[in-house]
Amino acid sequence: MSQTDPNLPPDTRCAPAEGRAILRVDGVDRVKFLQGMITQDMGRITRAGIGYAALLTPQGKLIADFLVIPRDEDVLLDVAEDLADELAKRLTMFKLRSKVTIERSDLPVTRGMGPMPEGALPDPRDPALGWRLYGAALSQGEAPDWDAIRIAHRIPETGFELVPGDSFILELGFERLGGVDFRKGCYVGQEVTARMHHKTSLRRGLVRVALETPVAPGTAVVMEDGREAGTVWTQAGGEGLALMRLDRIDGPLSAQGVAVRVLDSPAG
């Protein structure tokens, strides 16, 4: 149940984070274990107090993306609710003899914009995403339009642009969002991800587009000659995010007959 904190600055807007779950990773090997599993360096995350990372398949495809919060006694993983069980299952499969436990937690999470309350942490993906507070469910003011903010800054979200079992994280901007470290040691899916980074030019990327009218998320974007160029996902205020082939973003584009215009992209 959310509550109002009288100590919050009047221009702070916040509400309990929706659709999220918390996994708690405990045990003396927790940092070492996660270091060998996730895409970001745990040393870097520990120094910052919060980080963004993913767990990948051996083929380099996304299983889940999440925020990582190291604490004195454990590490929290802030993940989409519908991916929490699969993430816990996959981590447990690799636990072997590591002295770690992985369990769900009912710790509340507040997401906000504006001056941060005591104990809050900045969202590590982009300053535009505000802050998160773990251990309290606070509510004040009108909630920000998080979809519009994500679109403006080309930030993907699980269930839309990020598709477990299909997405390659570099195509979705994880390097720009601080979700991958190419200098850390090995992790699951590291070989494919490193090869994409060092040896190839990405064929696809996350693009901000303008649409004349909304279309269903997951609608194909096509070129004038009918060839598929990508897929449009989150939309707000006449703009949207689309995962596009970067060699097909020029010229007339449409989605279900609705004109689509590229506003910015990794190539631009």
Side-chain angles (χ1 to χ4, degrees):
M1 184 175 181
S2 63
Q3 58 183 324
T4 300
D5 184 343
N7 297 316
L8 283 175
D11 50 348
T12 290
R13 294 181 291 160
C14 62
E18 297 182 353
R20 306 296 294 184
I22 300 295
L23 295 181
R24 181 173 175 268
V25 184
D26 196 4
V28 296
D29 293 336
R30 61 188 181 274
V31 173
K32 179 181 178 182
F33 170 69
L34 289 172
Q35 178 71 1
M37 297 295 299
I38 68 175
T39 57
Q40 185 51 272
D41 176 52
M42 282 298 298
R44 176 178 172 182
I45 292 174
T46 300
R47 290 190 294 274
I50 189 170
Y52 183 47
L55 181 69
L56 308 179
T57 69
Q59 296 75 34
K61 293 187 176 183
L62 178 76
I63 293 173
D65 70 311
F66 40 85
L67 301 177
V68 184
I69 304 91
R71 305 193 301 179
D72 290 342
E73 69 282 7
D74 56 21
V75 177
L76 304 180
L77 305 182
D78 178 351
V79 64
E81 169 70 34
D82 58 358
L83 296 183
D85 289 343
E86 181 65 17
L87 177 58
K89 177 184 174 182
R90 293 291 187 121
L91 289 173
T92 300
M93 284 173 53
F94 285 99
K95 187 173 68 170
L96 301 178
R97 296 184 180 181
S98 297
K99 295 178 180 178
V100 297
T101 59
I102 302 155
E103 58 187 8
R104 292 283 289 263
S105 169
D106 59 1
L107 193 73
V109 183
T110 297
R111 187 181 191 187
M113 185 77 70
M116 294 194 301
E118 184 178 356
L121 297 165
D123 193 302
R125 293 169 290 179
D126 191 290
L129 290 178
W131 49 264
R132 302 174 91 86
L133 177 65
Y134 295 90
L138 304 179
S139 181
Q140 177 172 285
E142 183 179 355
D145 187 338
W146 296 113
D147 281 346
I149 292 170
R150 289 197 305 103
I151 291 168
H153 296 272
R154 287 192 292 121
I155 300 168
E157 184 168 292
T158 296
F160 294 92
E161 299 78 27
L162 289 168
V163 182
D166 183 69
S167 293
F168 290 105
I169 61 171
L170 297 189
E171 294 180 341
L172 278 300
F174 266 61
E175 185 174 8
R176 173 173 54 87
L177 299 173
V180 60
D181 189 311
F182 294 105
R183 295 172 295 180
K184 65 168 285 186
C186 293
Y187 55 88
V188 180
Q190 183 263 348
E191 183 177 352
V192 174
T193 305
R195 185 164 63 246
M196 291 181 69
H197 173 68
H198 292 294
K199 296 185 178 180
T200 65
S201 297
L202 294 177
R203 295 181 60 198
R204 301 194 303 172
L206 196 60
V207 172
R208 186 169 65 98
V209 298
L211 301 98
E212 290 184 342
T213 58
V215 299
T219 297
V221 179
V222 297
M223 302 174 70
E224 196 170 26
D225 60 8
R227 288 181 295 165
E228 189 167 319
T231 307
V232 63
W233 293 103
T234 304
Q235 297 153 71
E239 296 185 359
L241 290 176
L243 182 61
M244 302 281 291
R245 275 190 52 162
L246 299 179
D247 60 347
R248 296 184 178 182
I249 61 176
D250 297 323
L253 298 167
S254 64
Q256 287 184 338
V258 174
V260 175
R261 178 169 53 90
V262 173
L263 299 175
D264 59 40
S265 74

